Amino acid sequence: MSKAERKYKGGRKPKANPIVANYTVRFNAVDNARFLALFEKSGMKTKAHFIAARVFDETFKVIQINKVEHDYYSKLSTFYSQFRAVGVNYNQVVKALNTHFTEKKALAALYKLEKLTIEFIRLNGQIIELTRKYEQQWLQK
């Protein structure tokens, strides 16, 4: 280090492009609500950057998250994972029935299991149909 660099005694390093001016804006309640709504839609982290972008006509992204749609798909995904788990366990149940029960008792249990499986498949078809209707009605883009 040279002697000129050692004269620096600490503290914050000076910025290359310091801010030299600031401005104050005052809003009434209605305008403030509009401003905050626009700010939230922009997804920007600070209000100062949002205002500067608007003043200098820079583009910014508007991100809208539909909470109902998000909840629907998260619950649908949860249900689908449960549906897959039932499918995985189905073979294990059939194997256990055949191994631990007599043929007559195993057939009776398999008959009940088959009826429940048909009902389960019917329910899955209804879920798929409801999802298609939902997408047609609400997700038209």
Side-chain angles (χ1 to χ4, degrees):
M1 258 197 252
S2 68
K3 287 187 177 183
E5 291 175 355
R6 287 186 204 159
K7 288 183 181 179
Y8 176 70
K9 294 183 180 180
R12 180 183 255 180
K13 292 184 180 180
K15 292 184 177 182
N17 188 11
I19 307 254
V20 294
N22 64 0
Y23 299 94
T24 303
V25 178
R26 298 186 190 279
F27 293 125
N28 61 23
V30 174
D31 290 339
N32 187 44
R34 279 183 57 210
F35 168 75
L36 291 175
L38 287 172
F39 172 66
E40 288 175 9
K41 283 183 183 179
S42 72
M44 297 181 96
K45 301 217 184 279
T46 62
K47 292 175 188 168
H49 291 152
F50 172 72
I51 292 169
R54 296 293 295 186
V55 168
F56 296 118
D57 204 23
E58 294 176 9
T59 58
F60 60 91
K61 294 180 183 179
V62 175
I63 301 170
Q64 292 180 338
I65 298 173
N66 187 344
K67 179 111 173 85
V68 174
E69 180 182 324
H70 184 268
D71 290 345
Y72 179 80
Y73 277 108
S74 66
K75 288 179 183 178
L76 185 64
S77 297
T78 303
F79 179 77
Y80 182 71
S81 65
Q82 291 173 353
F83 186 77
R84 288 186 67 218
V86 169
V88 168
N89 292 334
Y90 186 84
N91 287 338
Q92 294 173 351
V93 168
V94 171
K95 184 177 179 183
L97 284 173
N98 285 329
T99 327
H100 299 293
F101 293 100
T102 63
E103 186 176 333
K104 194 173 188 179
K105 285 185 178 182
L107 285 174
L110 285 173
Y111 178 73
K112 290 178 184 178
L113 184 61
E114 183 181 10
K115 281 188 167 187
L116 291 173
T117 303
I118 291 170
E119 182 65 30
F120 197 57
I121 291 169
R122 193 175 302 128
L123 178 64
N124 187 39
Q126 289 175 351
I127 291 169
I128 291 170
E129 183 61 31
L130 285 172
T131 301
R132 286 185 184 140
K133 285 180 182 178
Y134 176 80
E135 287 175 348
Q136 288 174 352
Q137 185 175 4
W138 298 106
L139 299 181
Q140 296 174 356
K141 293 181 181 178

